[in-house]
């Protein structure tokens, strides 16, 4: 009962809200919260991630239902899937059942998997992603550029989007190599028919460079920080986030 989900908006280059990412926090009573970096790896090793991951999926579906019931235009919510969850043979069946129970259409859910997760047991991962993709869920590769991946394997997956890791975005305005990596990644993704989302966008300079490179969507503190569901009602009602210093 101490887990909570925060949600971080993603917008396109016109400011339109394109989705939210659900991010897990562990809230201690009266104490500061722990971020996923401090417990997800342990949950993976111990196997608890299966149960925690199920809780995340159920909670996101309930939240989407609650927003819709409040009359809000709920966007697609992205859930991070761990390596271990990709091995669950009944993952797609469970998700399908939850969607029906919550009265949600499949395009309201997205799953993000890291390259590393997609490459560990590539056959199993591909089968799971094929099942989820066939149901009409959106799928994306997270933290792109930081893991080991085979482009021929990635090409065979039913992906919709690729997220450029924030380690390349951070110095994009000062490091020519990072700029080159971002440019190359965007070109690669577009030629494979994938949308590109840049993570960790914190400054207007980064946003402007990414827009110039043809990046489709951005996520980061410049746009909005992850926040509890209650705090998102305003953004959902508006359906967009306008950046103050937009040229
Ligand atoms: P991620 O999926 O790449 O999520 C993005 C991370 O970047 C989040 O960290 C987010 O708070 C942070 N972030 C967003 N904008 C900015 C920015 O402008 N600057 C900086 N410096 N950081 C930014 P968080 O919430 O600590 O999550 C870390 C990782 O934990 C996530 O990386 C994801 O891999 C994992 N994670 C989070 N929630 C879950 C979950 O429910 N299940 C699983 N399996 N993994 C999760
Ligand atoms: Mg993610
Ligand atoms: Mg990421």
């Amino acid at each position: 009962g101490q887990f909570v989900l925060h949600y971080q908006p993603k917008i396109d280059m016109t400011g339109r809200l394109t989705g939210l990412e659900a991010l897990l926090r562990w809230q201690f009573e009266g104490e500061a919260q722990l971020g996923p970096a401090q417990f997800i790896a342990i949950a993976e090793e111990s196997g608890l991630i299966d149960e925690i991951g199920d809780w995340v999926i159920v909670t996101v579906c309930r939240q989407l239902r609650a927003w819709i019931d409040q009359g809000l235009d709920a966007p697609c919510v992205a859930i991070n899937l761990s390596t271990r969850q990709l091995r669950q043979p009944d993952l797609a069946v469970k998700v399908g059942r939850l969607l029906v129970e919550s009265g949600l259409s499949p395009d309201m859910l997205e799953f993000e998997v890291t390259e590393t997760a997609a490459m560990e047991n590539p056959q199993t991962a591909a089968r799971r992603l094929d099942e989820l993709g066939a149901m009409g869920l959106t799928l994306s590769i997270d933290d792109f550029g930081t893991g080991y991946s085979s482009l021929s394997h990635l090409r065979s997956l039913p992906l919709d989007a690729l997220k450029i890791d924030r380690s390349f975005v951070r110095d994009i305005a000062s490091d020519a190599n990072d700029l080159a990596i971002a440019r190359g990644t965007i070109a690669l993704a577009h030629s494979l028919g994938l949308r590109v989302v840049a993570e960790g966008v914190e400054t207007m300079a980064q946003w402007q460079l990414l827009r110039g490179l043809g990046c489709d969507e951005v996520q980061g503190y410049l746009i909005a920080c992850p926040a509890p569901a209650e705090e998102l009602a305003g953004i959902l009602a508006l359906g967009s986030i306008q950046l103050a210093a937009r040229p």
Side-chain angles (χ1 to χ4, degrees), residues 92-112:
V93 174
K94 272 195 299 198
V95 171
R97 199 184 318 125
L98 271 169
L99 286 171
V100 171
E101 278 170 16
S102 324
L104 300 172
S105 62
D107 60 2
M108 304 208 70
L109 278 193
E110 170 168 350
F111 284 109
E112 297 186 1

Side-chain angles (χ1 to χ4, degrees), residues 50-227:
D50 285 316
E51 232 178 301
I52 297 173
D54 283 351
W55 178 87
V56 171
I57 301 171
V58 170
T59 307
V60 165
C61 288
R62 286 204 187 125
Q63 188 57 58
L64 278 166
R65 188 70 251 161
W67 278 325
I68 294 168
D69 290 344
Q70 286 165 41
L72 290 165
D73 208 354
C76 177
V77 176
I79 295 173
N80 292 285
L81 270 190
S82 76
T83 315
R84 224 184 131 101
Q85 285 173 283
L86 280 176
R87 286 196 223 118
Q88 298 176 359
D90 60 341
L91 180 67
V93 174
K94 272 195 299 198
V95 171
R97 199 184 318 125
L98 271 169
L99 286 171
V100 171
E101 278 170 16
S102 324
L104 300 172
S105 62
D107 60 2
M108 304 208 70
L109 278 193
E110 170 168 350
F111 284 109
E112 297 186 1
V113 293
T114 61
E115 288 173 283
T116 314
M119 289 310 297
E120 217 180 273
N121 296 307
Q123 256 102 46
T124 310
R127 192 175 319 133
R128 212 72 340 118
L129 294 174
D130 281 339
E131 291 163 359
L132 293 167
M135 286 166 54
L137 289 131
T138 306
L139 301 173
S140 53
I141 285 287
D142 206 352
D143 304 345
F144 186 78
T146 61
Y148 293 105
S149 63
S150 134
L151 290 176
S152 72
H153 178 59
L154 285 188
R155 189 194 50 183
S156 70
L157 300 174
L159 298 170
D160 300 284
L162 178 157
K163 299 186 84 174
I164 303 181
D165 190 67
R166 72 163 185 269
S167 58
F168 302 114
V169 172
R170 191 180 49 223
D171 298 325
I172 198 174
S174 58
D175 186 324
N177 289 332
D178 285 345
L179 184 64
I181 289 171
R183 181 183 290 119
T185 305
I186 292 167
L188 172 76
H190 282 167
S191 58
L192 292 174
L194 305 178
R195 277 182 297 118
V196 185
V197 184
E199 304 188 293
V201 179
E202 295 183 353
T203 68
M204 257 343 257
Q206 292 166 341
W207 180 83
Q208 273 159 348
L209 281 166
L210 288 160
R211 186 182 59 167
L213 296 179
C215 183
D216 303 289
E217 295 172 36
V218 285
Q219 178 180 353
Y221 298 161
L222 175 72
I223 297 95
C225 292

